[in-house]
């Protein structure tokens, strides 16, 4: 059985709970409503195993990293994996819609299923599900809350030298 490691880190959008195994990052969880995540039995706390993830997230939050370079191992169905793969192609500071992602993965009538897969993304921020918005330009759900989604989008635009209107 694969050993699972975890660590926690502060961020501008609240504490993050990081989960990985020896093959890559499995999860980034938001700790909402001051309810910290607890590791499952057998998980090992290891700041060392998650040091690269933490460093790259800190660089992202400081505005010095635009692209992540990490080994990722999100667990999900084949369809979810295809959606999450498409999310990784959304450029920094850009947005897209569920419908555009469904077109990209050659499932043009699956925008609702794309929305559900987007909502189950286990590695938010790094797999940038926050860059998916409603087709009318409105912010839609986000595991970290809409305020965090707004912050991430504004942060990326600001770091690109633009002003969000």
């Amino acid at each position: 059985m694969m050993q699972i490691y975890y660590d926690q880190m502060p961020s501008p959008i609240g504490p993050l709970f990081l989960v990985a195994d020896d093959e890559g990052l499995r999860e980034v969880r938001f700790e909402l409503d001051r309810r910290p995540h607890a590791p499952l039995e057998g998980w090992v706390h290891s700041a060392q195993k998650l040091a690269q993830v933490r460093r790259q997230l800190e660089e992202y939050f400081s505005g010095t990293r635009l692209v992540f370079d990490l080994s990722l191992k999100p667990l999900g169905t084949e369809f979810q994996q295809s959606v999450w793969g498409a999310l990784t192609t959304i450029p920094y500071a850009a947005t897209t819609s569920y419908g555009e992602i469904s077109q990209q993965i050659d499932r043009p009538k699956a925008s609702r299923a794309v929305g559900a897969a987007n909502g189950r993304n286990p590695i938010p921020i790094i797999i940038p599900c926050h860059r998916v918005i409603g087709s009318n330009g409105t912010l839609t759900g986000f595991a970290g809350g809409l305020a965090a989604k707004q912050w991430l989008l504004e942060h990326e635009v600001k770091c690109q030298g633009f002003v969000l209107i």
Side-chain angles (χ1 to χ4, degrees), residues 11 13 16 28 30 57 60-61 68 121 123-131 142 152 156:
S11 83
I13 56 173
L16 300 175
V28 172
F30 296 98
L57 281 166
Y60 169 84
F61 287 123
F68 291 96
N121 172 16
I123 309 178
I125 304 168
I126 296 166
I127 297 178
C129 56
H130 62 278
R131 296 180 188 154
F142 184 63
L152 291 166
E156 291 183 2

Side-chain angles (χ1 to χ4, degrees), residues 83-148:
V83 171
W84 301 335
L87 296 177
T88 65
T89 68
I90 307 168
Y92 185 88
T95 58
T96 191
S97 70
Y98 299 112
E100 289 169 339
I101 294 291
S102 68
Q103 293 289 334
Q104 184 178 340
I105 64 169
D106 295 323
R107 299 284 298 272
K109 296 181 180 183
S111 58
R112 285 187 181 207
V114 165
N118 193 61
R120 292 190 182 273
N121 172 16
I123 309 178
I125 304 168
I126 296 166
I127 297 178
C129 56
H130 62 278
R131 296 180 188 154
V132 181
I133 60 174
S135 59
N136 62 358
T138 59
L139 294 187
T140 54
F142 184 63
L146 289 181

Side-chain angles (χ1 to χ4, degrees), residues 64-100:
T64 60
R65 175 170 293 278
L66 307 182
V67 176
F68 291 96
D69 182 24
L70 296 166
S71 177
L72 305 179
K73 191 176 177 202
L75 301 177
T77 67
E78 185 178 327
F79 179 78
Q80 289 169 332
Q81 296 283 348
S82 70
V83 171
W84 301 335
L87 296 177
T88 65
T89 68
I90 307 168
Y92 185 88
T95 58
T96 191
S97 70
Y98 299 112
E100 289 169 339

Side-chain angles (χ1 to χ4, degrees), residues 48-61:
Q48 179 183 353
K49 286 283 187 183
L50 287 146
Q52 184 180 21
V53 174
R54 187 178 180 136
R55 184 178 65 256
Q56 288 193 26
L57 281 166
E58 288 168 346
E59 291 168 354
Y60 169 84
F61 287 123

